[in-house]
Amino acid sequence: MAVVDALRPHSPLGALVVTTPQAVSVGDVRRELTFCRKVGLRVIGLVENMSGFVCPHCSECTNVFSKGGGEELARHAGVPFLGSVPLDPELTRSLEDGRDFIQDFPDSPAFPALSSIAQKILSETPAGLS
């Protein structure tokens, strides 16, 4: 509550909410969505992170945890579902090393997911702020 109050003078555009597909995470995020409604913070959208693992050798996607929990929650809560991001060890390494993932790994399975999510967020940004 204190963080939202501290941000109000800066007119935040809203909250970007991230979950993983597991039921425990989806439950936590459901409470976050309720919090956003109570404090009047617009939800820009919901992203499902760690949504499958794409094998770097054969490109087959394996749902390590589960799948679709974020999308189902977004539909149920009436907020935009922005997309799913697969697990990608290269993304983790590039972030830890401070490298530009988008530039270094354009062929990664996470790249199109992240790019699509970013485009959806930018399309919701009011003119003059992007």
Side-chain angles (χ1 to χ4, degrees), residues 18-77:
V18 179
T19 188
T20 59
Q22 302 98 312
V24 171
S25 179
V26 169
D28 288 344
V29 170
R30 183 176 290 115
R31 289 186 289 280
E32 291 172 24
L33 293 170
T34 300
F35 171 80
C36 288
R37 280 192 198 95
K38 285 182 179 178
V39 298
L41 186 61
R42 174 179 164 252
V43 175
I44 296 168
L46 191 142
V47 173
E48 184 175 282
N49 193 22
M50 298 182 357
S51 185
F53 173 76
V54 180
C55 176
H57 305 290
C58 71
S59 299
E60 182 178 334
C61 183
T62 302
N63 294 313
V64 179
F65 303 110
S66 61
K67 180 181 172 145
E71 188 169 7
E72 182 179 331
L73 175 59
R75 186 174 40 258
H76 183 266

Side-chain angles (χ1 to χ4, degrees), residues 107-129:
D107 296 327
S108 160
F111 180 86
L114 293 168
S115 180
S116 173
I117 291 165
Q119 287 302 317
K120 289 175 185 175
I121 292 168
L122 290 173
S123 73
E124 292 295 316
T125 303
L129 293 177

Side-chain angles (χ1 to χ4, degrees), residues 78-97:
V79 299
F81 180 69
L82 302 177
S84 300
V85 180
L87 288 165
D88 188 334
E90 291 302 330
L91 174 59
T92 304
R93 276 194 280 283
S94 69
L95 292 172
E96 289 174 350
D97 295 344

